[in-house]
Amino acid sequence: MRLSYPDSIRIIRLPCTGKIDVIHIMEAFEKGADGVYVAGCLEGECHFIKGNLRARKRVEYTKKLLDDIGVGGERLEMYNIAASDGPRFAAVAREMHGKITALGPSPIKKSL
Amino acid sequence: MSTKTPSRLEKILASGNLAVTSECGPPRGSNGDTITKKAEMIKDYVDAINITDNQTSVTRLCSLAACIRLKLMGLEPILQMVTRDRNRIALQSDILGAASFDIFNILCLSGDHQSFGDNPQGQNVFDLDSMHLIQTVRYMREEGKFLGGDDIDRPPRMFVGAAVNPFADPFEIRVPRLAKKVAAGVEFIQTQCIYNLDKFELWMKQARDRGLHEKVYILAGVTPLKSAGMAKYMKNRVPGMDVPDEVVERMSGVPKEKQPEEGIKICVESIQRLKEVEGVRGFHIMAIEWEEKVPEIVEQSGLFPRPKVE
Amino acid sequence: MIVAERKPIEEIMGFAKNCKKILMVGCNECVTVCYAGGRKEVAILASALKMAFKKDGKGLEVTEVTLERQCDHEYLEEIRNIVDEHDAIVSLACGVGVQFMAEKYLTTPVFPGVNTRFMGVTEESGVWSERCQGCGECILGQTAGICPISRCAKRLLNGPCGGSTNGKCEINKDLDCAWQLIIDRLKALDRLDDYEEIIPIKDWSTERAGGPRKVVREDLKQ
């Protein structure tokens, strides 16, 4: 399909979003990411049954943590995108890019 | 039954008359007149008056001080005492304080949890439970001793009561629980407000089957409903309260201004029906912030005038 | 196990505010099982604190260590030679571990990273509930194996109170009435008659009321 998405986005591949842990997201921010989003399969379609549902809960927990330390939970999001849905993948990437651009650089990065 | 204390309530019950008690909640302040005014309203219509002990865990003037005020008016107080706020030292001490003013009746309760009141952050004590408090008062009276074993100079002479709720869950242990209180030494019972008369009659029958009605005086609790709203609140919000739909419907079925009158009518009808239930030895009329209606309920129920005792 | 919960980050930040280097110590026992103070929680908290400091233009170094236990000398000794390099210790163990740490390392401030809640069980993943208050005189043999001291809001030894509704406690509809559970179990054991035995007034001197407690086994003592 050759769809383009913003080149600010760096993809880290996981076998399943259920593999993601709070500490992975925290470390991404610690290392200077301005935003993070987790792209999981559609709800109800996880190959491992609940991986993406678990990921969403961890994302919610981490958002709260980011709020608590003043980084801002809005810099983190969870999306559900079907593996075959290229156009939605690109649309989400643009949406997140737009949102983070509007928020500006992470307060951590500023002081790095 | 012969009497064991100088309690007027006990004498009336022992003489076979239906007893009538009511209750007054102390004020949220130090104005003692509030309690004496409430008592004035009802004094000729009841045999004894309960004074609640920080009911629903809301801080109020203490039950003991309010009981002393009644006693000084020449009335017969029933000291309500909950185990929530005091340990066994304070409970025994307050029992002696009451006994020093010749307060001859006590109602032993565990008390609502403090989370319902104005100090939900407070500690609770529950050193004893209501069963233990019954045992404690009886022990102090019969043995003339403190729980610690030392002798009491002039032991308390108190007629010992407790509350039961025939409607709380699980229903199957409601009668065994009464039996347990009887075994602990309780002498009179005031029940939770009765709106579900069928269920109460079933409970009473089970109590009779075990002969409990001959071991303890049971006063049936009634509370007049002021409005349909109150009926719904009691039904839905008050733990352990059983208000059947037909009672709510009957209250809702009359115009708002007629609802208080309907509430009194239901209350009087309940008393009339409960009078016929074997084992019911009197009534405890809890007119919540509506004490002025007690005389009319007592009169309409044919319970006036009150018997005179020595 | 002892169940704990992480303290609010803000409170921990307050403890660490004048520090440049802290030692964050997890515990591999109970607090690991309840996800409050194990290796993983140490890593997350360390990361969060570092970021919070960085955001304010300050640096914070965090040394992460997770010990087998914090309630035994031998494990606490493992950090002896690194403690002095730090301005403070944040212990993610229960209150027992935090105190034992403070007793051992007298010149380094020790702060708690968790609130210790109760002794309880994992009801299901992510849900813990209380089962024991350590009263020192177990009555489970008389109460069909269900403890009214830890599970009844009024600690009634002879319950239930009048507030028991549909098997739930009057203070919270999500809380089982301990006495309903006891009665159900007595029934299942065909021992409902036992309900009528009055459990006597309790001697609370073995509980908190009797002052700090101690167990001594002469046969094991050095």
Side-chain angles (χ1 to χ4, degrees):
Chain A
M1 278 189 273
R2 298 254 168 231
L3 293 162
S4 68
Y5 63 90
D7 58 9
S8 62
I9 289 166
R10 180 165 158 211
I11 294 176
I12 297 168
R13 283 194 281 186
L14 292 165
C16 168
T17 50
K19 176 73 185 142
I20 200 153
D21 202 291
V22 178
I23 190 64
H24 301 139
I25 303 171
M26 294 294 280
E27 279 175 357
F29 281 102
E30 214 184 315
K31 288 182 175 150
D34 297 312
V36 173
Y37 70 98
V38 177
C41 302
L42 294 178
E43 291 193 358
E45 293 186 5
C46 176
H47 181 69
F48 303 103
I49 302 168
K50 280 184 173 174
N52 50 358
L53 302 177
R54 293 201 168 105
R56 180 171 289 282
K57 287 185 181 174
R58 290 174 200 153
V59 164
E60 291 305 322
Y61 178 90
T62 314
K63 280 165 85 79
K64 170 82 177 52
L65 206 54
L66 291 168
D67 278 335
D68 289 347
I69 59 172
V71 170
E74 69 278 12
R75 292 180 180 276
L76 171 63
E77 290 303 338
M78 169 91 196
Y79 291 97
N80 296 94
I81 307 166
S84 57
D85 196 348
R88 172 144 164 88
F89 179 88
V92 163
R94 282 193 296 273
E95 181 182 313
M96 197 65 190
H97 174 80
K99 187 175 170 184
I100 299 300
T101 307
L103 284 169
S106 148
I108 304 301
K109 198 177 185 178
K110 269 192 271 185
S111 48
L112 269 179
Chain B
M1 292 189 228
S2 64
T3 59
K4 293 176 186 151
T5 72
S7 159
R8 181 163 87 186
L9 177 62
E10 185 183 13
K11 287 194 183 104
I12 286 171
L13 286 164
S15 70
N17 283 295
L18 285 171
V20 179
T21 57
S22 185
E23 68 184 39
C24 295
R28 300 210 67 205
S30 63
N31 194 343
D33 293 347
T34 317
I35 206 86
T36 48
K37 269 185 208 145
K38 281 181 177 178
E40 279 293 341
M41 276 189 250
I42 61 174
K43 69 178 169 56
D44 296 329
Y45 296 84
V46 299
D47 306 316
I49 300 169
N50 288 42
I51 301 288
T52 51
D53 181 5
N54 296 301
Q55 74 269 24
T56 62
S57 305
V58 172
T59 318
R60 293 167 182 275
L61 184 145
C62 79
S63 175
L64 176 53
C67 282
I68 293 168
R69 285 184 179 273
L70 295 197
K71 192 72 197 185
L72 296 176
M73 292 168 74
L75 306 182
E76 174 94 347
I78 300 173
L79 176 71
Q80 291 199 187
M81 191 174 270
V82 302
T83 62
R84 176 191 61 225
D85 308 321
R86 281 159 293 189
N87 71 0
R88 64 191 77 176
I89 302 171
L91 291 168
Q92 292 177 96
S93 167
D94 282 358
I95 289 166
L96 292 183
S100 77
F101 283 93
D102 284 339
I103 289 166
F104 295 130
N105 308 286
I106 186 167
L107 193 78
C108 303
L109 308 164
S110 59
D112 295 311
H113 192 267
Q114 75 278 6
S115 59
F116 293 101
D118 61 341
N119 287 285
Q121 316 86 338
Q123 265 287 8
N124 57 31
V125 180
F126 298 115
D127 180 14
L128 308 183
D129 64 22
S130 58
M131 213 69 78
H132 298 148
L133 186 57
I134 294 166
Q135 289 178 320
T136 300
V137 188
R138 285 296 300 265
Y139 182 73
M140 291 171 80
R141 186 181 94 194
E142 316 288 310
E143 307 294 326
K145 286 180 189 301
F146 290 102
L147 286 178
D150 295 339
D151 289 337
I152 299 171
D153 172 28
R154 193 173 183 269
R157 292 179 296 164
M158 289 179 175
F159 186 42
V160 181
V164 301
N165 182 355
F167 309 105
D169 292 322
F171 185 68
E172 60 202 299
I173 60 98
R174 287 293 129 195
V175 170
R177 185 157 175 77
L178 172 66
K180 216 169 158 172
K181 288 195 173 175
V182 169
V186 79
E187 296 165 307
F188 74 98
I189 290 290
Q190 292 172 328
T191 76
Q192 173 70 290
C193 326
I194 302 163
Y195 296 106
N196 187 341
L197 281 89
D198 293 341
K199 197 165 178 183
F200 176 78
E201 284 172 354
L202 173 63
W203 175 83
M204 201 60 226
K205 182 188 176 305
Q206 292 175 358
R208 282 197 308 270
D209 289 346
R210 294 187 53 167
L212 295 172
H213 66 307
E214 284 163 350
K215 295 180 180 156
V216 64
Y217 300 109
I218 295 171
L219 309 189
V222 290
T223 291
L225 294 164
K226 268 186 190 170
S227 63
M230 175 177 172
K232 283 177 205 153
Y233 181 84
M234 299 272 255
K235 180 184 175 67
N236 300 322
R237 291 295 175 84
V238 181
M241 190 73 75
D242 184 343
V243 185
D245 289 334
E246 61 256 35
V247 172
V248 179
E249 281 158 21
R250 191 170 151 188
M251 288 299 288
S252 313
V254 296
K256 204 161 175 62
E257 67 279 7
K258 294 267 185 196
Q259 285 175 359
E261 199 180 306
E262 193 68 16
I264 301 284
K265 222 152 106 188
I266 294 173
C267 184
V268 170
E269 287 168 20
S270 299
I271 293 175
Q272 300 290 15
R273 181 169 154 190
L274 290 164
K275 272 185 180 177
E276 305 303 317
V277 179
E278 190 190 347
V280 170
R281 304 295 301 270
F283 297 92
H284 180 51
I285 304 167
M286 296 164 270
I288 303 163
E289 294 303 321
W290 211 19
E291 288 85 355
E292 68 270 24
K293 291 291 175 187
V294 170
E296 134 182 18
I297 294 167
V298 173
E299 274 180 327
Q300 288 180 23
S301 307
L303 294 165
F304 189 78
R306 301 305 312 142
K308 296 272 176 280
V309 290
E310 278 308 300
Chain C
M1 84 185 108
I2 294 175
V3 178
E5 278 178 308
R6 195 199 67 224
K7 273 190 176 288
I9 297 271
E10 210 184 341
E11 192 179 340
I12 303 171
M13 275 158 48
F15 294 145
K17 67 174 186 289
N18 296 321
C19 299
K20 291 202 160 48
K21 187 172 180 185
I22 61 170
L23 178 59
M24 193 175 286
V25 192
C27 178
N28 240 339
E29 295 280 357
C30 317
V31 291
T32 294
V33 182
C34 64
Y35 299 91
R39 193 180 307 277
K40 203 163 165 177
E41 291 72 37
V42 166
I44 292 166
L45 181 60
S47 171
L49 277 189
K50 281 186 278 181
M51 275 197 265
F53 271 64
K54 224 182 257 181
K55 181 182 69 70
D56 296 337
K58 294 194 286 184
L60 179 72
E61 242 186 283
V62 183
T63 310
E64 301 173 26
V65 184
T66 296
L67 302 176
E68 195 52 39
R69 278 200 286 286
Q70 294 191 28
C71 49
D72 269 314
H73 286 293
E74 57 183 298
Y75 303 109
L76 276 182
E77 281 300 326
E78 291 173 8
I79 54 170
R80 180 164 296 281
N81 50 12
I82 59 165
V83 166
D84 286 346
E85 301 160 18
H86 298 86
D87 303 320
I89 300 169
V90 174
S91 165
L92 268 64
C94 67
V96 174
V98 179
Q99 285 186 70
F100 215 32
M101 181 85 78
E103 284 172 43
K104 199 174 260 307
Y105 299 113
L106 300 175
T107 54
T108 308
V110 180
F111 298 111
V114 302
N115 288 322
T116 306
R117 298 296 308 274
F118 49 77
M119 286 187 265
V121 296
T122 309
E123 268 187 24
E124 57 180 281
S125 177
V127 180
W128 297 272
S129 60
E130 183 162 19
R131 288 294 184 278
C132 180
Q133 293 187 348
C135 73
E137 186 71 63
C138 192
I139 57 162
L140 286 170
Q142 292 148 274
T143 56
I146 289 148
C147 174
I149 294 168
S150 56
R151 302 186 68 183
C152 165
K154 299 185 193 171
R155 300 181 134 194
L156 297 184
L157 295 182
N158 296 284
C161 73
S164 180
T165 306
N166 298 321
K168 299 297 174 185
C169 175
E170 65 177 9
I171 72 160
N172 182 347
K173 283 190 169 60
D174 297 325
L175 193 66
D176 287 327
C177 166
W179 275 95
Q180 173 81 56
L181 298 177
I182 292 169
I183 289 154
D184 289 348
R185 189 153 157 79
L186 282 173
K187 239 190 308 182
L189 298 170
D190 201 20
R191 276 176 46 200
L192 198 52
D193 288 348
D194 290 3
Y195 171 76
E196 291 195 31
E197 283 171 29
I198 297 173
I199 297 181
I201 292 177
K202 188 170 171 69
D203 174 358
W204 291 109
S205 66
T206 54
E207 196 242 16
R208 175 208 62 79
R213 293 165 281 178
K214 194 168 198 165
V215 173
V216 180
R217 277 274 303 270
E218 290 300 337
D219 57 326
L220 298 171
K221 244 176 107 180
Q222 299 282 320

